[in-house]
Structure formats: structure tokens, C-alpha cells
Amino acid sequence: MELRTERMVLRRLGEAHRADMIAFYGDAEVMAIRKYGARDAAAASLAIDVALEHWQAHGFGLFAAHDGESGEFMGECGLRYVDDGDVVEVSYGLFPRFQGSGLATEGARACLDFGFRTLGLPLIVAYSRADNVASHRVLEKIGMEFMGREDRGTHGVVRYEARREP
Ligand SMILES: CC(C)(COP(=O)(O)OP(=O)(O)OC[C@H]1O[C@@H](n2cnc3c(N)ncnc32)[C@H](O)[C@@H]1OP(=O)(O)O)[C@@H](O)C(=O)NCCC(=O)NCCS
């Protein structure tokens, strides 16, 4: 399955994306600000296995994000259970050359719409490192509400929420 936005195609993550995703999860610049840091190929592959199983178990998950015109792989976005499966989080990230032109916002918004309209989720959250200002801005632009800071891990995270409109 896939979602289309104005500039992107978001494709259900599959085996075909493994090499691209290993490169993405191994990119020091992309991962420096993320909660878990850059991953070597083995750790990245394990994370991809988890993401593929998530799709199998729940019928939704991460998408591989591609340029809608050139087809180039840009990064990821999607939805997944967090907090021991209690709640669904929106997640996104792009290679640096695709950042800064609203693409993360476009992808994240499509994922939120998919979660609320297609999946009927009542609540979607996002956890972002407290110092990841660009990510906070993305969450604000897609209409999510800042809920506060939590001391998780070494950096602290902030939690945002959005609820399905009645
Ligand atoms: C966070 C990330 C996805 C943003 O991607 P992007 O394509 O640049 O995002 P957008 O262009 O849609 O929006 C970014 C917003 O943050 C703002 N921004 C970027 N860097 C900023 C900074 N250092 N301080 C303040 N605002 C900043 C931009 O100006 C823009 O806001 P605006 O439209 O009001 O001007 C990207 O930096 C990334 O992939 N980072 C690594 C992975 C990651 O952190 N993922 C999120 C994990 S929670």
C-alpha cells in the first residue's frame, strides 16, 4: 500500500527498502539528534525486522518515503505502537539534502491523516528529543499539542499529542 502527497510517495516498508533503510539508520547526521543514535548494519537490520513485523501484526507501520517525481528514496515516516503498545506514535526523518523545504511536515501530516481517517485511531502521540527543535516545529505545524517534558534516556524528551476530531 502507499500514500501519495503533493511531492512524495510513501510506500509500506518492505524487504525492497532494506538497503536504503540501513543506509538511512546508519547516517550519522540524520541519527545524531534521534533518541537512539546511528546504528550499524546489524542493528539497523533488526530495527527493520521489527518494523516489518509491526505491519504484519497491526496493518500499519513505517513507510519508505520517496520523491514523487524522481522516485529517489528520501527517508521514512509512519506510525507505530510505543509505550509497550499502549499508544501510537508518528515518526519521520529525512536525509539532510531533503530537509528544510517542508517535506517532513508533508509526510507527517499524511501519516496523521491516515491514522485518524483510515485507521480510526483516537489518539496519536510523538516523542521527540527535548533539543530537537526542528522536529518540534514539524509537530506544531501538523497541529499537535505540546504536553510536556519527560525525563527519558540521557537527553529528555517532549511529548506531543493529537486527537481525532469528532
Ligand atoms: C526533524 C526533520 C524531520 C525536519 O525535516 P524538514 O524537512 O526540515 O522539516 P520541515 O521543512 O517540514 O519543517 C522544519 C521546521 O523546523 C524549522 N527549523 C529547522 N531547524 C530549526 C532550528 N534549528 N531551530 C528552530 N527551527 C528550526 C524550520 O524553519 C521549519 O519550520 P518553518 O516551516 O516554520 O520555517 C529533519 O530535521 C530530520 O530528518 N532530522 C533527523 C531525524 C529526526 O530528528 N526525526 C524526528 C525524530 S522525533
Side-chain angles (χ1 to χ4, degrees), residues 30 33 92-94 99-102 104-105 127 132-135 137 141:
V30 172
I33 193 76
Y92 42 81
L94 299 172
Q99 294 176 14
S101 59
T105 302
Y127 290 105
N132 194 348
V133 186
S135 178
R137 186 73 196 116
K141 287 195 289 180

Side-chain angles (χ1 to χ4, degrees), residues 111-124 162-164:
C111 292
L112 217 60
D113 283 351
F114 174 64
F116 288 138
R117 294 187 192 178
T118 305
L119 304 175
L121 299 171
L123 168 72
I124 296 175
R163 287 179 190 277
R164 189 178 65 219

Side-chain angles (χ1 to χ4, degrees), residues 82-83 87 123-128 139 144-150 152 157-161 163:
V82 291
D83 293 348
V87 68
L123 168 72
I124 296 175
V125 306
Y127 290 105
S128 177
L139 296 169
M144 296 186 75
E145 188 183 353
F146 176 74
M147 302 305 290
R149 183 182 164 126
E150 297 178 16
R152 296 184 179 206
V157 296
V158 291
R159 176 178 165 118
Y160 282 76
E161 287 186 5
R163 287 179 190 277

Side-chain angles (χ1 to χ4, degrees), residues 25-98:
Y25 287 153
D27 187 291
E29 205 178 330
V30 172
M31 302 306 281
I33 193 76
R34 297 196 97 168
K35 296 181 285 276
Y36 27 78
R39 291 165 159 158
D40 63 20
S45 219
L46 266 180
I48 295 158
D49 290 343
V50 170
L52 299 184
E53 283 160 19
H54 193 290
W55 268 104
Q56 291 284 353
H58 305 293
F60 66 91
L62 290 179
F63 295 93
H66 295 85
D67 184 300
E69 271 189 17
S70 68
E72 200 177 352
F73 174 76
M74 297 194 292
E76 66 169 3
C77 61
L79 300 169
R80 62 179 161 212
Y81 278 106
V82 291
D83 293 348
D84 298 326
D86 282 347
V87 68
V88 171
E89 175 180 54
V90 61
S91 174
Y92 42 81
L94 299 172
F95 276 119
R97 66 185 178 281
F98 298 107

